[in-house]
Amino acid sequence: MNSPNSPRASASTGLLIILLCAMGAGPLFNYGISVSSALIIEQLGITAGQLGLIVTVVFAAAAVSSIWLGNLADKISARSQMLIIFVGTAVALVVAAFAHSYWLLLVAAVLAGPAQAISNPTTNRVIIRAVPAHKRTGWIGVKQSGVQASQLFSGLFFPAVALALGWTGAALGGALVSIALWLISLKYVPAPTRSAQRESAPQPEPPEVTVDTGQMSAVSTKDKMPAVVYYFAVIAMFSGMGMQATNVYLPLFAVQELNFSLVLGGVAAAVSGVIGVVSRLAWSRRMQAGAQPSKLLMLINAGALLGVLAFLGAASWQAPALLWTGAALHGITVLGANVVINAGLLQIVPGNKIGAASGLNSMGMYAGFALGPLIMGLLQDVTQSFTVGWIFVGVSYVLCGVVTVLLYRRTRAKGNP
């Protein structure tokens, strides 16, 4: 019989849902800003570039705090980390709700960053402690899909509520959702006393082991961080540049270039979110079946480039069908990259270093998230068109593909299949 604190007993469906929500809570702020962008631009009298700067500040704050928060995730209780995620997001949304100036929105963006930065270290740490090894990749796929579930929720919730109650009502509604999720998390996330008991229990020194991952091996806890972690961080940065530029500007692109309504522009983002949930589960199954991460990432990059071509075609030929095609390809491909990367991290990094490794990867990812919207917004301001911005997104995917090929060659050179 399993003890109450054993991994198998702890890995409940309720805990899995909370981890999914923990991944989705942080992005509520930036998705809310993105899908309500046309309204916010009109209300505050700002430009598309200034809108991009709001999201850039979010992810810059996340990138700066990622490594520290990743190390913190290895030391504090899971409940404390859930407090940072859910309540931190709620505070940022409340500040944004009453932001009648652009600068106050930037303050809210700074507050939103750390809540997102700790989400990957927290959820990865919980999984490696609470979930049996053979189920971890599947759990990674489900919890990572929380980001796209948030995109779906935001695309439907924020525009509809904003039209009825204004941006203030929509942001306050998002804050209430986040607080409610935090209260629910208290039921499923182990209390600090139980976590401390598990931490204080004597643990045998883990031997140096090799795990068949199709491309890489785990290392002993005495080893330095595996080089593959740094490759993943760079891949996360370049894919994140294109991914977040698309997430932020897809609704505005639909409204300004193709004359979509605010709600329909939000639906375009929601479509990507729905497909992203399914695709993340599919990519996690491929990883669980033993697929090589670098090969999957090459497929993801190729599909993402096709999505960029669809967006360019939609603008050139005023073809809404191509916008929906691009949104679908965005969801199928690059929104699944983080599943592959995080599953790869769990395969190669010892349990006592997973928070630090996740923090390093998050720093790369959030650096990309910060740069992508900033650059695309500036390009739109300068050219008064999204064409150059979409070309920039395509270039970021090409660079991501180059690093992925280098990773593939490195692992092949080491004699791994």
Side-chain angles (χ1 to χ4, degrees):
M1 180 179 296
N2 295 316
S3 70
N5 292 333
S6 68
R8 194 176 299 276
S10 301
S12 66
T13 301
L15 178 62
L16 178 58
I17 293 172
I18 287 300
L19 295 183
L20 181 149
C21 292
M23 290 300 302
L28 279 177
F29 176 86
N30 22 297
Y31 284 139
I33 291 288
S34 173
V35 297
S36 307
S37 55
L39 182 65
I40 293 172
I41 285 173
E42 181 181 355
Q43 180 176 312
L44 296 181
I46 61 176
T47 67
Q50 288 175 305
L51 178 82
L53 182 60
I54 296 169
V55 180
T56 293
V57 169
V58 173
F59 294 124
V64 168
S65 59
S66 283
I67 291 183
W68 179 76
L69 288 170
N71 285 303
L72 185 68
D74 288 330
K75 300 172 183 176
I76 66 174
S77 71
R79 281 193 173 185
S80 297
Q81 295 173 59
M82 292 296 173
L83 179 71
I84 295 172
I85 293 170
F86 290 116
V87 178
T89 298
V91 170
L93 283 167
V94 169
V95 173
F98 297 104
H100 298 298
S101 72
Y102 177 66
W103 297 107
L104 199 53
L105 263 184
L106 292 180
V107 171
V110 171
L111 296 173
Q116 297 185 53
I118 201 171
S119 58
N120 259 322
T122 296
T123 52
N124 285 347
R125 186 71 167 165
V126 170
I127 287 174
I128 210 166
R129 287 180 172 275
V131 182
H134 68 281
K135 291 185 177 180
R136 288 174 187 165
T137 301
W139 274 56
I140 285 286
V142 173
K143 69 99 173 176
Q144 289 296 133
S145 68
V147 178
Q148 269 52 68
S150 178
Q151 186 176 13
L152 166 62
F153 170 81
S154 299
L156 299 176
F157 175 83
F158 282 97
V161 177
L163 287 177
L165 303 176
W167 164 249
T168 298
L172 288 177
L176 287 174
V177 169
S178 192
I179 291 293
L181 291 173
W182 170 61
L183 293 173
I184 294 170
S185 77
L186 298 177
K187 177 179 179 180
Y188 296 101
V189 177
T193 52
R194 290 174 57 193
S195 299
Q197 289 171 0
R198 286 202 297 275
E199 291 285 346
S200 62
Q203 299 293 329
E205 180 71 19
E208 185 164 343
V209 295
T210 298
V211 180
D212 181 10
T213 67
Q215 75 152 8
M216 56 193 80
S217 59
V219 295
S220 76
T221 59
K222 296 180 180 179
D223 290 341
K224 62 182 181 180
M225 199 70 75
V228 174
V229 174
Y230 297 94
Y231 276 91
F232 277 150
V234 176
I235 290 168
M237 182 184 73
F238 285 128
S239 65
M241 286 170 62
M243 178 200 308
Q244 205 56 232
T246 304
N247 285 343
V248 170
Y249 283 103
L250 176 58
L252 189 62
F253 170 69
V255 171
Q256 291 190 350
E257 296 278 337
L258 295 169
N259 298 315
F260 280 30
S261 67
L262 182 68
V263 171
L264 194 57
V267 170
V271 165
S272 284
V274 172
I275 296 173
V277 170
V278 177
S279 77
R280 287 192 165 198
L281 296 175
W283 291 116
S284 72
R285 290 195 184 100
R286 292 291 304 277
M287 284 290 292
Q288 200 163 16
Q292 190 172 349
S294 56
K295 287 184 176 179
L296 295 184
L297 289 169
M298 284 190 275
L299 286 174
I300 285 170
N301 280 311
L305 280 170
L306 290 176
V308 171
L309 292 176
F311 289 135
L312 286 169
S316 297
W317 300 314
Q318 288 294 294
L322 286 177
L323 181 139
W324 296 112
T325 300
L329 285 169
H330 179 66
I332 292 168
T333 59
V334 73
L335 292 186
N338 282 331
V339 170
V340 176
I341 292 172
N342 278 277
L345 287 177
L346 259 66
Q347 291 173 344
I348 64 169
V349 179
N352 71 326
K353 289 185 177 181
I354 191 62
S358 298
L360 178 63
N361 179 72
S362 292
M363 184 181 70
M365 179 182 70
Y366 288 125
F369 283 5
L371 288 171
L374 175 65
I375 294 172
M376 190 163 183
L378 291 174
L379 290 172
Q380 204 278 340
D381 279 354
V382 170
T383 65
Q384 295 299 304
S385 168
F386 283 94
T387 299
V388 179
W390 289 126
I391 292 172
F392 154 72
V393 171
V395 169
S396 71
Y397 292 149
V398 169
L399 293 174
C400 182
V402 170
V403 179
T404 304
V405 170
L406 292 176
L407 172 61
Y408 174 74
R409 288 183 175 179
R410 175 187 172 86
T411 54
R412 294 289 290 179
K414 287 182 173 291
N416 293 317

